[in-house]
Amino acid sequence: MDITKVIVRKYEAEGKNNLKGFATVTLDDELVLTGIKIVKGSKGLFVAMPSSYWESDEKYHDIFFPITGDFREELTEQILQAYKETKNKDKEKGKSKKKHDEEDD
C-alpha cells in the first residue's frame, strides 16, 4: 500500500503535555486511518497508533498498526515530516502576521 496523503492537526494545548498532534493518513486513495497521535517522548517525537482499552485483560491494544517494520518506518517518517511542515507553516504565518501588524502601526 502507498501512503497517498497525510494531514496533521497540531494539538492546541501543545507545550502543556507530550501530545503534539494528530495525523490522518490515506492509503492508496482508498482507505483513511484517523486518530494517529504524534507524541514527544524522552527520545524525541514518535507516532502512536489509535488504541482501545480491553476490559478482558485491562490493557490498551492498538486498533490498527503496520505489520512490517519497513512500512512502520515509512509511515512514521511521512507523519513526522508533515508535522514539521505544519509547524513551519504556522511559524511563517506568525511572522507574516507580526510584520503586517507592525506595518499598520
Side-chain angles (χ1 to χ4, degrees):
M1 293 197 111
D2 291 323
I3 299 169
T4 51
K5 188 174 186 179
V6 177
I7 299 170
V8 170
R9 294 180 331 272
K10 284 182 22 183
Y11 183 60
E12 293 300 322
E14 186 173 346
K16 296 183 181 181
N17 63 36
N18 292 339
L19 180 61
K20 300 301 178 189
F22 292 94
T24 298
V25 176
T26 304
L27 302 174
D28 287 342
D29 287 325
E30 293 187 25
L31 177 65
V32 176
L33 309 175
T34 63
I36 301 169
K37 293 177 231 138
I38 302 164
V39 181
K40 182 178 180 184
S42 61
K43 295 180 182 179
L45 293 174
F46 68 93
V47 172
M49 295 297 125
S51 60
S52 179
Y53 184 76
W54 292 12
E55 290 185 17
S56 61
D57 63 1
E58 299 180 343
K59 292 181 182 178
Y60 282 90
H61 296 270
D62 288 349
I63 296 170
F64 58 82
F65 49 88
I67 294 173
T68 67
D70 288 344
F71 190 74
R72 179 178 293 276
E73 187 176 315
E74 179 183 352
L75 181 64
T76 298
E77 284 179 19
Q78 288 198 33
I79 290 171
L80 295 181
Q81 181 62 36
Y83 174 74
K84 290 173 186 171
E85 289 171 5
T86 299
K87 280 187 69 168
N88 289 339
K89 285 179 188 175
D90 287 351
K91 283 182 184 178
E92 290 301 316
K93 284 180 186 176
K95 287 180 185 177
S96 176
K97 183 179 183 332
K98 184 177 179 182
K99 184 178 179 182
H100 179 72
D101 290 346
E102 289 172 355
E103 289 173 355
D104 288 344
D105 291 339

